[in-house]
Every structure is written in structure tokens, then in C-alpha cells.
């Protein structure tokens, strides 16, 4: 099996990557400014919904029901989509998925494909596979285009180029679009991207998209976006390929109502997305003549098998947890070594990729709970982080010093006499504290003066005083 | 005559009948911040209640649980349940330990077959400020503290205990205290237990933002219900030689004229 999440298996550990990013003050300023803006917008539009909590619960329950019967919903989707003229492919892992896509494009003798935001294609490293097969992929989501042209990596689930500011984007466009002149206003940049993309929208015969939701009942696929470039990708080409993870299924069309209220408010702070595209199979004389769906597993059934963390698959990729996360706020998304960053990345990447590759991610959190508070599908991310830490410890993946420290601490805390003795040791000097790994602490923080008397000693002596 | 009576505060509105309160000091406070424990005792006794300290107690298991060492955490939970069996009310001067007990004991209990014991003890466990406002029905505890104070509501107090304005209400009744609102008060300070060491750089970057907010208020003192956060913030302030310092809310509430 070639289950992978982009390059995460080779990525640096979180603390190492974070350390490097923390030195980049421009990037941190960009991240802070952007996340603050989205957070405030989200808070405002969520605040005006009196039934927000009920919507969250409804979404959570729909997702729970879906996951309990995922096998039958997937088959129902396949049946309905096929009946509507689509063709459904099942991909167990990244390589299978890439091969399916390459074969379809080759089968039509095409050498180019226009793409719109598909996180799963980053998971499978589809662009690399396409290029190796002599097929040129063009990203058309504005942010993804900036990433592609800048030879960069996405740092946010919804706003992949969030770490870039306007002048950096202008420079990337100047350098890669062969422009000698370009204005500084956002409109100027948008116009440049429009010129660059429109030519491709009209020329390229194959389109590729992801999906936000796939409806089992009708076999329909739904994509929501802000720019309209996705609409171009899914309507203009002759052949359309749509790839998504198997957890994107929802049972009925009615269920969509819940998610279309939650997603835009959580993701961009909008009441509704400017573009909501829903299509079912092929419609003769209108849109693509051929429609393929690639259902991607790539580790998802493995996540499904763990009851304690299964709810990770509820995620609708709104990125509210990223925008709320105080850790993400400092480092941005690249520290997570995966297309999935922030709190959801910290629990999703290790589970998909296999824990052994990303053992530092479940610790990339202070467990402050801000993510859980904003998650529109109520994923208890802190609880899952702890669950994953437990798995790492149980599989012997924790560092030796930590295991010893915890064993000693555990032994000490199981008996008040031992605790009293340990307190005496602490009072004698700072050695025992330092031995537990406090060097990291002392870089920027002083330790408090160690008291000469513990509380229990004070209590004991109290009567005597 | 009780101190509060000399201040002319209506006895009936501020005080419940005397309660036997069992103090769970927590291992952290016991070892590093005994002054907080002494302050809790002083406040509760001043209000006319009786405090007991069960000397067999140690810890709630939070560090082990959060770091992934569940068997150890379950053993510590079992001990906690034994140590506090039969207690009337349990007072904990640490929001994060209360969060540990409330949020995680039920699940751990299900694994360890101790659902009954946990269900019985949960309604008895109060964080110190909760105990004052909710159980004992007081906001004016007769304290005097002539300093400007800002409040860091820890993430556990904020999101797990839903502390709301309880600590603030208590502080605003303190004589001489100038309460200053902390900007971006819902932001984590970056402590997070082992996070502060495993991800020391990110943790201190978060701390820098928190310190900036605190210093912006101009307060002399930053308080809160968690000495873990306060040790982290206070350690950073001290390293920067800032004039602001951290003091647990119990120590403020215990202060009386001429006696801090
Ligand atoms: S985990 Fe929740 S908040 Fe985070 S991206 Fe997924 S749905 Fe949004």
C-alpha cells in the first residue's frame, strides 16, 4: 500500500520546523493579520445564528450516522452517480488514485489539465505524477495558483497562500507570468491572474476538482468556493474528474442544508459562499460530456476503525480550528509538514500517514481547546490529541527520558509519603526539576524560588505554631 | 466580631452556613506554591468554614493523562477517589485539575469500572473561585489589596469550567483593587504542561504575546486560578525584568489591610 499525505513522511518534526518559521517575522505577521481577520468575521456571522449550537449537533449526528454506515452509503452513491452517467473509481491509496487520473487523461490523448482546489490531490502528490506522465497541471484557485507559481507549499486549508502578502504575490506574478508591469492594488493582481487563467479555461479539455460533499441519495457532488474559477473548471472542459475522500459522503440532499449553513460561516465568515455548484452525473448538451469520480481511501478506513478518534473524519475542512489556534498563529501551516495543518492536521496527518511518521504532531498543542470550541462538526480535537499521545506511548514511541520521568513521577504520586520525600529533594536544590527536562523551560522563563516548606508540611506544623 | 462585620457588610447575603471543606491542594501547589494553599485556608476560615486536609492526597493525574500515560493516570485517579471518599465538599485551587477531574475522569472511570465512585464525587468538586461564588454564595470575602490587577483566565477555566465573570466579580469586591481588563483574554498563554518544554520555542512565542497584553494594561499584578499558567507567565515577566508579577487569586482574596 502506498498510503501517504503529501511529503509528511519526510517532513521535519514539528518543533524543528516551528523553530525555523518562528524566525520569519514577515510570515508571522501575515499569518496573525489574516487569521485575526477571518476569526473576527466568523465570530460576527456565527453570533447572529440563534440555532448555531443545534446546527453543530445536527452536523455531528449526520456525520456519525454516515460513518456508521459508510460502506452502504458509498455503494448507494456509486449506484446513483453511475445511473446519472458518471463513472466511479475506487482508489485504495495514493498511487492507485494517481494512476486512475493519469490513465483517464492519457486515454483522451490530452497533455494538460485545469485543477481546482483538491486537498486529496496534494495528499497523493498528483501533480508530480501528472508531470512524470507528461501532463501539465494548472492550478486555478487563485491561492493555489500563487503556491504553484511560487514553487511554494500551502500553509492553510482554506486560504493556502495565507502566509503571503500582497507585495510578495505581486513579485511572484511578475516573475512567473513574464510581466514587465503590474499594479500594486488587489484588483491589478486579480486581473493578471484572470488573464493568465482564462486562456487556459478555454483551451484545456480536462478539468479536475475536489468535492466538499457527495450525496449518497442522488449521486450528486457539491463544491463551494468564492472565486468562480471552480465553476469554470467543472463546466468548461469536455472531461471532468472529481476526486474526494470517502468521508465526504452525506446521506441525503436535505443534509446539505445543515452543512451549507455551517461551512461558509466557519470558513470565511460569509453567510453563504458566492459559488455553490452541485451537479449529478452528465447532462447531454450542457457541461462535460464525461464525468469521473475517484473515491479515495488512503488511510481513511484505518481512521474509521479506531472508535476513539473516528470523529476526525467528520471534518469539513473549514479551517476554523486553524484560525482559532494559538499555536498555528505563531508558526503558520508549514510547521505541520502536511497539506493538513493546524489542530486538524495534528490529528489527521498522523492517523492517515501512520503514527510512526508524525509522532511530534499530537504534541503540537497546548490543549487549550479553542479548536473544539469553534469546530462546526464538534470534533473534540484535544481529546483526540491525548488519545494519539497515548497510542504513541503504548507503542513505545515516546522518548526514553520522558518515559522514565513519567514512571518516577507516577511512582511518587501514588503515595503521599513518597511525594513528601520528593518535595524534600526539590527543596534541597533544583536538580530534580532540571533532570525532568526543564532546560527548554529556562531559555525564556525563570523558575520560581523553591519554597522551603511544602503545603503539607505547613499544615502539619500548623497546630504547633 | 468577624472582620467583615466591622466593615458593615450584610452577613446574610454573603455567607452560607458553615461547611466542612476538604482541600485538594494539588501536587503542583503543594510543592511549588504552598502560599496559595495557605491563602485558601485563610479565606475559607475567615468566612466561617472549616477546612480539612487529608494528608494521604497527592495528585489528580493530569500530567500523566495529558501526556498519554493512562495506566498511571488511572492509578492516581483511583487514589484520589479513595483519599476523598466521604468528603462533603472538595475545594481545588487549580482550574486545570478540576477540568481534568470533570472532563476526563468519567471516561477513565468507564475503562476502570469505577463509574459509580466518579459520578458520586463529581458534584462535590469545586474550583476555588467557583466554590466561593456558587456554593458559598459570596463575592465579597473581606479582602483588601491596594494594587492594579489584571486577570488571566486560563483555558481550562474559560472553556472547561466556563468560569464566566466569577473571578472578576470576586476581584471587583476587593477593597483598593483596581481591576484592569486584559486584552485578547481568550488567548492561551502557551503553558500547556509538557508542551511548554516539548515545544519551548512556540510556547514562549505565545507567552510573548500574552506578556505584551498584560504589560499593555499597566497592571502591577496578573492573577488567575491556575498557578501553572502563572508560573509560566511570571517566569517570563521575571526574565524580562518587567515590573508586573503574577499572584494566584486566592492570595489576593486572602489579603487584608496591612497583611498581604
Ligand atoms: S476540524 Fe472542525 S474546525 Fe477544523 S477544519 Fe475540520 S471541521 Fe473545521
Amino acid at each position: 500500500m502506498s498510503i501517504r499525505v503529501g511529503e509528511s513522511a519526510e517532513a521535519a518534526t514539528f518543533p524543528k520546523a516551528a523553530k525555523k518559521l518562528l524566525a520569519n517575522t514577515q510570515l508571522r505577521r501575515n499569518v496573525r493579520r489574516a487569521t485575526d481577520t477571518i476569526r473576527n468575521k466568523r465570530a460576527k456571522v456565527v453570533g447572529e445564528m440563534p440555532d448555531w449550537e443545534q446546527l453543530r449537533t445536527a452536523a455531528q449526528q449526520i456525520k456519525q450516522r454516515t460513518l456508521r454506515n459508510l460502506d452502504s452509503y458509498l455503494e448507494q452513491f456509486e449506484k446513483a452517480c453511475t445511473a446519472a452517467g458518471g463513472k466511479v473509481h475506487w482508489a485504495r491509496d495514493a498511487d492507485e488514485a494517481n494512476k486512475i487520473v493519469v490513465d483517464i487523461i492519457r486515454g483522451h490523448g490530452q497533455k494538460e489539465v485545469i485543477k481546482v482546489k483538491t486537498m486529496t490531490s496534494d495528499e497523493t502528490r498528483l501533480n508530480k505524477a501528472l508531470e512524470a506522465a507528461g501532463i501539465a497541471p494548472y492550478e486555478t484557485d487563485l491561492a493555489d495558483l500563487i503556491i504553484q507559481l511560487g514553487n511554494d507549499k500551502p500553509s492553510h486549508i482554506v486560504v493556502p497562500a495565507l502566509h503571503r502578502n500582497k507585495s510578495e504575490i505581486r513579485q511572484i506574478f511578475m516573475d512567473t507570468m513574464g510581466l514587465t508591469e503590474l499594479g500594486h492594488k488587489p484588483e491589478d493582481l486579480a486581473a493578471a491572474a484572470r488573464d493568465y487563467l482564462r486562456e487556459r479555461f478555454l483551451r484545456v479539455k480536462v478539468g479536475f476538482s475536489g468535492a466538499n460533499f457527495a450525496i449518497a441519495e442522488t449521486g450528486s457532488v457539491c463544491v463551494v468556493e468564492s472565486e468562480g474559477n471552480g465553476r469554470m473548471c467543472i463546466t468548461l472542459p469536455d472531461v471532468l474528474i472529481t476526486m474526494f475522500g470517502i468521508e465526504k459522503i452525506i446521506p441525503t440532499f436535505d443534509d446539505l442544508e445543515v452543512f451549507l449553513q455551517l461551512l461558509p460561516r466557519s470558513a470565511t465568515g460569509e453567510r453563504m459562499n458566492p459559488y455553490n455548484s452541485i451537479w449529478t452525473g452528465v447532462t447531454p448538451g450542457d457541461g462535460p460530456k464525461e464525468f469521473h469520480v475517484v473515491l479515495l481511501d488512503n488511510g481513511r478506513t484505518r481512521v474509521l476503525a479506531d472508535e476513539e478518534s473516528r470523529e476526525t473524519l467528520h471534518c469539513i475542512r473549514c479551517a476554523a480550528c486553524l484560525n482559532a489556534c494559538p499555536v498555528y498563529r505563531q508558526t503558520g501551516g508549514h510547521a505541520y509538514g502536511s497539506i493538513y495543518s493546524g489542530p486538524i492536521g495534528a490529528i489527521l496527518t498522523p492517523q492517515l500517514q501512520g503514527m510512526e511518521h508524525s509522532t511530534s504532531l499530537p504534541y503540537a498543542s497546548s490543549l487549550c481547546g479553542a479548536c473544539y470550541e469553534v469546530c462546526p462538526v464538534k470534533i473534540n480535537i484535544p481529546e483526540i490529541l491525548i488519545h494519539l499521545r497515548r497510542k504513541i506511548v503504548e507503542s513505545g514511541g515516546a522518548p526514553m527520558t520522558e518515559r522514565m520521568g513519567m514512571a518516577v513521577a507516577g511512582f511518587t504520586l501514588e503515595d503521599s509519603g513518597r511525594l513528601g520525600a520528593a518535595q524534600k529533594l526539590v527543596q534541597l536544590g533544583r536538580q530534580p526539576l532540571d533532570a525532568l527536562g526543564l532546560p527548554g523551560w529556562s531559555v525564556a522563563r525563570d523558575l520560581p524560588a523553591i519554597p522551603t516548606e511544602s503545603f503539607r508540611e505547613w499544615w502539619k506544623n500548623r497546630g504547633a505554631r | 466580631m468577624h472582620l467583615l462585620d466591622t466593615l458593615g457588610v450584610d452577613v446574610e447575603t454573603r455567607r452560607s452556613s458553615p461547611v466542612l471543606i476538604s482541600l485538594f491542594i494539588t501536587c503542583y501547589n503543594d510543592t511549588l506554591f504552598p502560599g496559595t494553599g495557605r491563602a485558601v485556608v485563610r479565606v475559607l476560615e475567615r468566612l466561617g468554614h472549616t477546612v480539612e486536609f487529608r494528608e494521604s492526597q497527592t495528585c489528580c493525574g493530569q500530567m500523566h493523562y495529558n501526556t498519554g500515560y493512562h495506566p498511571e493516570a488511572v492509578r492516581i485517579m483511583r487514589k484520589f477517589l479513595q483519599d476523598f471518599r466521604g468528603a462533603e465538599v472538595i475545594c481545588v485551587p487549580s482550574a486545570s485539575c478540576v477540568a481534568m477531574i470533570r472532563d476526563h475522569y468519567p471516561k477513565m472511570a468507564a475503562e476502570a469500572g469505577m463509574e459509580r465512585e466518579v459520578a458520586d464525587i463529581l458534584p462535590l468538586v469545586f474550583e476555588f473561585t467557583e466554590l466561593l461564588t456558587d456554593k458559598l454564595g459570596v463575592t465579597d470575602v473581606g479582602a483588601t489589596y491596594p494594587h492594579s490587577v489584571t486577570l488571566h483566565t486560563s483555558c481550562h477555566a474559560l472553556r472547561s469550567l466556563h468560569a464566566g465573570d466569577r473571578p472578576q466579580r470576586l476581584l471587583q469586591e476587593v477593597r483598593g483593587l483596581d481591576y484592569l481588563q486584559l486584552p485578547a483574554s481568550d488567548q492561551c498563554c502557551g503553558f500547556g504542561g509538557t508542551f511548554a518544554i516539548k515545544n519551548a520555542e512556540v510556547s514562549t512565542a505565545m507567552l510573548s504575546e500574552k506578556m505584551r497584553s498584560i504589560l499593555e494594561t499597566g497592571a502591577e499584578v496578573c492573577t488567575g486560578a491556575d498557578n501553572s499558567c502563572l508560573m509560566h507567565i511570571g517566569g517570563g515577566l521575571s526574565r524580562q525584568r518587567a515590573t508586573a508579577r503574577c499572584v494566584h487569586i486566592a492570595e489576593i482574596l486572602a489579603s487584608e489591610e496591612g497583611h498581604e
Side-chain angles (χ1 to χ4, degrees), chain A residues 363-385:
Chain A
Y363 300 94
S365 165
S366 63
L367 304 178
C368 81
C371 48
Y372 181 30
E373 190 174 55
V374 295
C375 177
V377 286
K378 285 186 94 160
I379 303 174
N380 192 337
I381 295 177
E383 192 70 53
I384 296 175
L385 286 165

Side-chain angles (χ1 to χ4, degrees), chain B residues 129 150-154 222-227 230 247-250 252:
Chain B
T129 59
T150 191
L151 171 70
H152 167 62
T153 311
S154 68
C222 172
T223 192
D226 280 274
N227 269 330
L230 295 180
V247 177
H248 191 280
I249 191 165
I252 293 179

Side-chain angles (χ1 to χ4, degrees), chain A residues 86-87 89 104 108 239-243 290-294:
Chain A
K87 179 154 179 30
H89 310 258
I104 295 169
H108 287 85
V239 180
L240 173 62
I241 308 165
T242 297
M243 176 156 100
E290 209 179 294
F291 174 48
H292 297 266
V293 166
V294 184

Side-chain angles (χ1 to χ4, degrees), chain A residues 315-321 344 375-377 379 381:
Chain A
C315 177
I316 56 172
R317 309 278 189 267
C318 73
C321 58
I344 182 64
C375 177
V377 286
I379 303 174
I381 295 177

Side-chain angles (χ1 to χ4, degrees), chain B residues 145-186:
Chain B
Y145 194 73
H147 299 284
S148 55
V149 175
T150 191
L151 171 70
H152 167 62
T153 311
S154 68
C155 301
H156 286 113
L158 182 72
R159 301 198 178 88
S160 175
L161 273 53
H162 305 287
D165 64 352
R166 290 185 189 93
Q168 191 177 328
R169 266 164 34 218
L170 288 161
L171 290 171
Q172 279 169 336
E173 296 287 347
V174 175
R175 283 146 201 83
L177 188 147
D178 181 15
Y179 181 80
L180 300 167
Q181 178 64 39
L182 184 70
S185 61
D186 61 346

Side-chain angles (χ1 to χ4, degrees), chain B residues 1-12 14-15 142:
Chain B
M1 209 177 182
H2 195 275
L3 170 85
L4 287 184
D5 301 336
T6 62
L7 296 167
V9 183
D10 178 6
V11 179
E12 289 319 305
R14 67 160 199 263
R15 204 188 292 161

Side-chain angles (χ1 to χ4, degrees), chain A residues 39 402 413 446 456 462, chain B residues 45 58 69 198 238-239:
Chain A
R39 268 176 70 173
E402 178 190 297
L413 293 168
D446 291 338
R456 66 183 61 240
R462 198 182 174 211
Chain B
E45 289 183 347
T58 54
Y69 293 79
K198 278 182 189 273
S238 149
R239 177 61 58 88

